[in-house]
Amino acid sequence: MITTRHRRLAAIALLAVGAVHLEQYTVAHYSVVPTIGSLFLANFAAATVFGLALLAPFGAISQRLRRLVDATAAFGGLWVAAGALAALLISERTPLFGFMEHGYRLAIVVAIATEALAIVALFIVLAETWQRR
């Protein structure tokens, strides 16, 4: 059974992934970086949608709907977090869409930590969802 604790942890980690990208988009001015800026905003939007879906009280309506939402949000959230982590690691070594990161400043360390936590927590939610079937 999917525990509320696992679902909440995954949701909070995913919302943190989105928050880091929104902060970098606005405060660090990634909004002006071609392609990368748009991807940061898209990451924020997708992470927020999937994170809120995991927190929404669909279980009160139907357990089947809850499992469907959990599986969809966990799978989508995994793509968001894993894609962001992969893109970050690539951009540390080689230009990605003409942009390259340099060094491990605090925002990058926080991004890596939240994305890794989200990936692990979302895998747990996804595994528990499949186990219930």
Side-chain angles (χ1 to χ4, degrees):
M1 182 167 122
I2 299 173
T3 63
T4 303
R5 183 180 314 137
H6 292 149
R7 194 171 53 247
R8 284 183 185 158
L9 175 62
I12 290 167
L14 202 49
L15 290 169
V17 167
V20 168
H21 282 84
L22 180 63
E23 187 272 339
Q24 290 297 287
Y25 180 82
T26 56
V27 177
H29 306 292
Y30 277 45
S31 59
V32 300
V33 179
T35 307
I36 296 295
S38 299
L39 291 173
F40 269 57
L41 192 58
N43 180 289
F44 162 71
T48 300
V49 167
F50 292 132
L52 291 177
L54 288 168
L55 291 175
F58 291 110
I61 298 169
S62 162
Q63 287 302 315
R64 184 175 178 178
L65 178 61
R66 173 80 269 163
R67 285 192 307 273
L68 177 64
V69 169
D70 287 346
T72 304
F75 189 71
L78 270 171
W79 278 103
V80 169
L85 183 57
L88 174 58
L89 295 176
I90 290 168
S91 73
E92 283 285 333
R93 304 280 182 235
T94 183
L96 182 65
F97 301 113
F99 178 80
M100 190 168 175
E101 285 287 358
H102 298 284
Y104 288 97
R105 55 193 167 82
L106 180 60
I108 291 176
V109 172
V110 171
I112 291 170
T114 58
E115 289 157 2
L117 177 61
I119 290 167
V120 171
L122 289 163
F123 262 121
I124 292 169
V125 170
L126 204 51
E128 289 176 341
T129 301
W130 284 338
Q131 190 176 34
R132 274 286 305 241
R133 291 183 162 207

